[in-house]
Amino acid sequence: MSETAGMDELYAVIERSARTLGVPCAPGTVRPVLAAYADAFGHDATVVAFRVATSLRHAGELDCRFTTHPGQRDPYAVALAAGLTAPTDHPVGAVLGQVQGRSRVAGHGVDFGVAGGFKKVYAFFTPDDLQKVATFADLPAMPPALAAHDGLFERHGLADRVGVVGVDYHHRTLNVYFNDVPPHLFEPDTITETLHELGMARPSEHMLRLGREAFGLYVTLNWDSPRVERICYAVTTSDLAALPVRVEPEIERFVRGVPAGDGDRKFVYGVAVAPGGEYYKLESHYRWKPGMMDFI
């Protein structure tokens, strides 16, 4: 498939999905993002996924994320050059470059909203090259909360399990995703203790049942506080009915409205917990094949 055909196909899917969900989809917001990364869409290996969330912060939005072409080394520079985001002196503008300078990045992903436009860039590491928290904690542009929690990550066996770093330029936050997570971290007692230690809301029974099935977790940090802003546990499934919980009405509507691409349907269902409570998110893979990189 050519780059143009792949880009047009994806835009049509985004437009149809947004219309079904009642989310405004402006061509002037979506098409410039697709055009900036057009070389990603002519490749079968590109992962494409859609996501919705139940929090007020995410209301009226449909997110799309995709992996970029391997030759495109710095998707943030592409976004700046295309005018998708404005240059900034804030550390959020420097942190990705410092991560790339410290470790070999295996690939990148981009996240944008059909209403909000360009939002995030992900830097992936291969499963056999997971990174140490200490590798990034002392970077000048890294949020101080990463170093402040190095003891917690060490105690829970996460200190050398960093699989993805995600930079949110829209909200000025940073996500650190942990892969190959020790199974005990998904036990209800450990989840409860971890959330208490981080100052998060007490987990619901719904969240604890979901946590037992989780495969990965990530923390969200910002530059304004030494605390962890939130933590998310994620479950992967090809059948939402098989989950140990009933999904929310917003999630069910999303599943009905967003099409699957070729290949098996796959979902990543997550619960995010913050000091003020918890909310849920679902990612539906439009393009995905076994062995390809998962988003969370």
Side-chain angles (χ1 to χ4, degrees):
M1 181 184 296
S2 70
E3 294 174 1
T4 301
M7 185 173 66
D8 289 344
E9 173 196 306
L10 181 56
Y11 179 79
V13 171
I14 291 170
E15 187 178 51
R16 184 167 68 252
S17 302
R19 184 168 58 249
T20 301
L21 297 172
V23 174
C25 177
T29 298
V30 175
R31 283 198 176 275
V33 179
L34 301 183
Y37 302 98
D39 62 351
F41 303 118
H43 298 267
D44 290 339
T46 299
V47 177
V48 178
F50 299 101
R51 191 200 71 169
V52 294
T54 61
S55 70
L56 290 176
R57 169 178 166 175
H58 296 90
E61 183 66 287
L62 169 65
D63 289 321
C64 176
R65 56 271 309 268
F66 55 88
T67 53
T68 63
H69 185 267
Q72 203 163 47
R73 293 297 300 162
D74 191 341
Y76 178 54
V78 172
L80 288 172
L84 303 179
T85 189
T88 179
D89 293 330
H90 188 279
V92 72
V95 68
L96 179 65
Q98 293 179 8
V99 167
Q100 294 172 150
R102 185 65 62 87
S103 294
R104 186 179 67 84
V105 173
H108 292 94
V110 171
D111 189 321
F112 71 96
V114 300
F118 172 83
K119 294 181 179 179
K120 299 180 185 178
V121 169
Y122 303 90
F124 300 107
F125 308 103
T126 58
D128 61 352
D129 190 32
L130 298 181
Q131 299 294 301
K132 296 180 180 179
V133 170
T135 300
F136 306 123
D138 66 345
L139 291 174
M142 184 61 60
L146 187 65
H149 289 85
D150 58 355
L152 181 146
F153 299 137
E154 183 71 39
R155 287 196 308 277
H156 289 300
L158 296 173
D160 58 353
R161 308 292 176 89
V162 177
V164 184
V165 174
V167 184
D168 187 329
Y169 299 95
H170 184 74
H171 294 105
R172 292 187 171 179
T173 58
L174 182 137
N175 292 342
V176 179
Y177 298 77
F178 297 97
N179 291 1
D180 196 18
V181 175
H184 77 274
L185 283 179
F186 301 130
E187 293 297 324
D189 288 346
T190 308
I191 290 175
T192 302
E193 291 169 7
T194 301
L195 295 180
H196 177 74
E197 186 174 0
L198 291 174
M200 302 297 175
R202 184 172 180 82
S204 66
E205 288 301 316
H206 183 102
M207 186 267 163
L208 293 175
R209 288 197 300 274
L210 186 70
R212 281 185 178 274
E213 308 295 325
F215 77 96
L217 61 86
Y218 69 86
V219 294
T220 299
L221 317 172
N222 65 53
W223 282 267
D224 299 324
S225 170
R227 298 182 61 176
V228 170
E229 184 173 297
R230 61 184 174 272
I231 184 170
C232 181
Y233 296 80
V235 176
T236 183
T237 183
S238 59
D239 179 10
L240 289 179
L243 292 174
V245 296
R246 182 169 180 235
V247 300
E248 296 70 22
E250 303 99 310
I251 299 289
E252 290 182 342
R253 187 159 62 97
F254 168 69
V255 172
R256 292 194 300 269
V258 175
D262 48 356
D264 296 331
R265 189 103 189 232
K266 183 179 181 183
F267 304 100
V268 179
Y269 183 64
V271 52
V273 188
E278 62 191 47
Y279 65 91
Y280 296 84
K281 56 184 75 176
L282 185 80
E283 181 177 280
S284 175
H285 285 69
Y286 177 69
R287 281 195 200 170
W288 174 84
K289 293 179 182 178
M292 295 170 68
M293 180 69 73
D294 282 337
F295 288 97
I296 301 181

